[in-house]
Amino acid sequence: MTAADHLTQAISDAYDETPYISNAFPYTSPGNLRAVATLYGLATPQLANARVLELGCAAGGNLLPFARAYPDAQVIGIDLSPQQIEAGQRVAEKTGARNLDLRAMSLTDITPDFGTFDYIICHGVFSWVPPEVRDAILRICRENLAPDGIAYVSYNTYPGWKAADVVRDAMILNSFGAQTAQEKLSSAKEMLELIENGLWHNNPLHSALQSVAGKLRGQSDHYLLHEYLEAINTPCYFLEFAAAAQQAGLAYVTDAEPQLTFASTYGSKVALGLNSLSANSNREMREQYLDFAVGRSFRKSLLVHADRAGGMLEQPEGSAFKAMHFATRLDAAPPTPNASPEHRHYLTPNGATLSTKDPAMIGMIDALNTAWPRSLPFEALLEIATSSKSGVPHDDVANSLYMNLITLVQSSAVNFRMESAPYLPADSKPALIPGARELLGEVTGQASQVGMYNLWHQPATPPASALAQFLALHMDGSRSLSDLRTLARDALTSGRIAHPDGRSYKGARNLEPVAQEFVNALLTQLRHSGLLAN
């Protein structure tokens, strides 16, 4: 066995010993990759019959939402860890994902004979494997990607990872000689304590190191082990990755969250500085300058075959939104100090506040909130905008809508797709999304390696209380609201399940109002998280 083989086996053993919880990542979803590619003028295969490959899929949690949403698609995931693959296979079988094929193998064994795929996903792998495996990832993206396909590769980047490198080195130093994963973690956390509370005040890296250590304090053990204590973690500058992709016969398109590649996203100061510095540079160089300006530590790059570079737009085209569908759920946010009364304030998914007094924007957000988790087509949003701008020429209304959508995208506040969301029309008989009832039993009954998801490919929080889980498991589309209320009432009256408020309702009468209130609140919660199919 070669040194590389020993290292590969060590990586596999580490993931078998301390597996990741395999969750969905929305920016990796084929639907997102397809929509982003469209903004840059690149046509990609439709989702319904797509062939999808994930390299380093863990237990398949990032493939399961797509597989259940598109049962006619072919979905394959490979991972080096047999233990994680076996766990994923059990979940796939239980949730009815018959089109999800998970295989324990090394990605270096993939050849052109493995077949071609419309979408290739490689999330959280590239920086954590030996050089020959990184080369294989790019080779697969060239040899196994369909002519009109798109690949996604994420990786750690400099300059943002510079301070994290120091923290990682210190943690590894203090955990040297540890025999078990728990011993490694204990020693590494001791070093985090030193960095957080024991640094000299004149240490030039004081604030940067403390910031990294503080963020790590809130991370899970498996994240610390696999992100910071693995044998390999090799960040690179974006230009180095782009050059490697080009050498492999691939062309860089953009980030899976394209708004992160624009200086204007980070404010006028950054935009003005970058515009003066890199005005005559190509797009890759401009983005590298931006990485220095914002201290980027992680990238999610989209790649296509090099021969498609000539047909790719230099900048995304907002008019492409005309063929798309949109969805969002923005909670109301407290007004900012000195804000005018006509402003409305919303909390974006990343915790920022979005404020507007534009009636067309407010009407659009209200309509999208009402429709959630279903999506609305551009035409419906245009109709809403037109009704709020009576007498304004159609083209002006459309241009204003484009700008409002760009604002939402730049704020990471909206989902956009070529296809409509795979949710059902509103129905009188509640049902969970495909696979959710079966997975609910897994994630609440034992230590599942696969996390709950919604059909927007987002991780979702399952119902917490025993009564909520009991009712959710009965939401198969065959029971009405009245049926669910009766189930809740009988469970409380019999004393079999306690109400989450802590009160005992055993033997109580006239519990219909209590049961109805609980069912209504549960349905709101499930719709809010995207777990309700209708």
Side-chain angles (χ1 to χ4, degrees), residues 126-386:
F126 192 83
S127 296
W128 295 267
V129 291
E132 59 269 22
V133 182
R134 292 197 293 274
D135 292 342
I137 290 171
L138 295 179
R139 172 183 59 77
I140 292 166
C141 290
R142 181 187 71 247
E143 295 180 348
N144 298 88
L145 186 66
D148 55 351
I150 190 160
Y152 164 105
V153 181
S154 66
Y155 48 97
N156 288 336
T157 53
Y158 293 132
W161 244 88
K162 289 289 186 179
D165 260 348
V166 176
V167 174
R168 167 178 148 81
D169 290 343
M171 292 168 66
I172 289 176
L173 175 65
N174 202 49
S175 59
F176 181 77
Q179 299 300 310
T180 67
Q182 286 306 311
E183 289 176 358
K184 281 185 179 181
L185 283 167
S186 178
S187 298
K189 289 177 180 178
E190 289 174 0
M191 180 54 71
L192 286 180
E193 178 70 25
L194 171 66
I195 293 172
E196 279 194 284
N197 302 303
L199 293 184
W200 183 41
H201 67 279
N202 281 336
N203 185 329
L205 297 177
H206 186 281
S207 60
L209 296 179
Q210 279 197 332
S211 176
V212 173
K215 291 176 182 177
L216 290 182
R217 277 293 178 191
Q219 296 291 346
S220 63
D221 285 352
H222 65 254
Y223 177 86
L224 289 178
L225 279 169
H226 298 309
E227 181 79 6
Y228 278 78
L229 298 177
E230 285 288 359
I232 296 176
N233 189 333
T234 312
C236 64
Y237 284 103
F238 165 65
L239 281 180
E240 294 175 314
F241 176 84
Q246 183 178 30
Q247 192 171 20
L250 300 163
Y252 169 73
V253 180
T254 186
D255 194 86
E257 296 181 286
Q259 66 273 20
L260 302 183
T261 68
F262 294 100
S264 57
T265 298
Y266 305 93
S268 58
K269 183 178 179 180
V270 173
L272 287 172
L274 266 293
N275 286 341
S276 63
L277 185 67
S278 61
N280 298 320
S281 302
N282 63 27
R283 187 155 59 93
E284 286 83 357
M285 184 64 75
R286 292 198 302 270
E287 289 193 28
Q288 181 62 78
Y289 280 126
L290 180 60
D291 283 6
F292 281 113
V294 302
R296 197 189 310 277
S297 60
F298 191 67
R299 270 189 169 266
K300 309 175 295 296
S301 293
L302 305 190
L303 305 171
V304 294
H305 288 294
D307 59 10
R308 301 190 73 191
M312 185 168 56
L313 299 177
E314 178 75 9
Q315 300 289 337
E317 179 52 65
S319 62
F321 285 148
K322 188 174 183 179
M324 293 190 186
H325 301 256
F326 303 85
T328 193
R329 178 190 50 74
L330 299 179
D331 295 328
T336 56
N338 304 317
S340 59
E342 64 267 24
H343 271 80
R344 292 273 291 273
H345 308 273
Y346 304 93
L347 190 65
T348 68
N350 60 11
T353 298
L354 174 67
S355 300
T356 182
K357 63 177 182 179
D358 178 7
M361 174 74 96
I362 293 170
M364 178 174 67
I365 292 175
D366 287 348
L368 290 170
N369 277 341
T370 299
W372 174 266
R374 295 180 298 279
S375 60
L376 294 177
F378 180 87
E379 291 80 4
L381 300 182
L382 183 59
E383 184 176 340
I384 293 167
T386 301

Side-chain angles (χ1 to χ4, degrees), residues 70-148:
Y70 297 97
D72 292 328
Q74 295 177 275
V75 187
I76 297 177
I78 69 166
D79 197 273
L80 199 58
S81 167
Q83 195 265 358
Q84 291 189 103
I85 288 295
E86 290 171 8
Q89 288 171 337
R90 289 194 298 271
V91 170
E93 182 177 358
K94 187 164 188 176
T95 57
R98 296 177 180 83
N99 58 336
L100 178 55
D101 180 4
L102 302 178
R103 307 180 190 182
M105 61 182 292
S106 172
L107 59 86
T108 57
D109 293 333
I110 293 180
T111 68
D113 292 338
F114 200 75
T116 58
F117 297 86
D118 304 312
Y119 300 92
I120 296 178
I121 303 163
C122 187
H123 181 64
V125 178
F126 192 83
S127 296
W128 295 267
V129 291
E132 59 269 22
V133 182
R134 292 197 293 274
D135 292 342
I137 290 171
L138 295 179
R139 172 183 59 77
I140 292 166
C141 290
R142 181 187 71 247
E143 295 180 348
N144 298 88
L145 186 66
D148 55 351

Side-chain angles (χ1 to χ4, degrees), residues 22-32 47-48 52 54 57 59-73 75 88 91-92 95-100 102 121 417 421-423 433-436 439 449-460 529-531:
S22 187
N23 284 311
F25 297 93
Y27 38 78
T28 73
S29 72
N32 180 63
L47 303 183
V52 179
E54 182 168 17
C57 67
N62 192 38
L63 290 173
L64 187 58
F66 180 81
R68 290 301 282 118
Y70 297 97
D72 292 328
V75 187
V91 170
T95 57
R98 296 177 180 83
N99 58 336
L100 178 55
L102 302 178
I121 303 163
R417 298 288 188 271
Y423 284 89
I433 61 173
L439 186 57
Q449 289 189 32
V450 176
M452 187 65 73
Y453 60 86
N454 65 28
L455 294 183
W456 283 105
H457 216 97
Q458 299 166 333
S529 61
L531 289 172

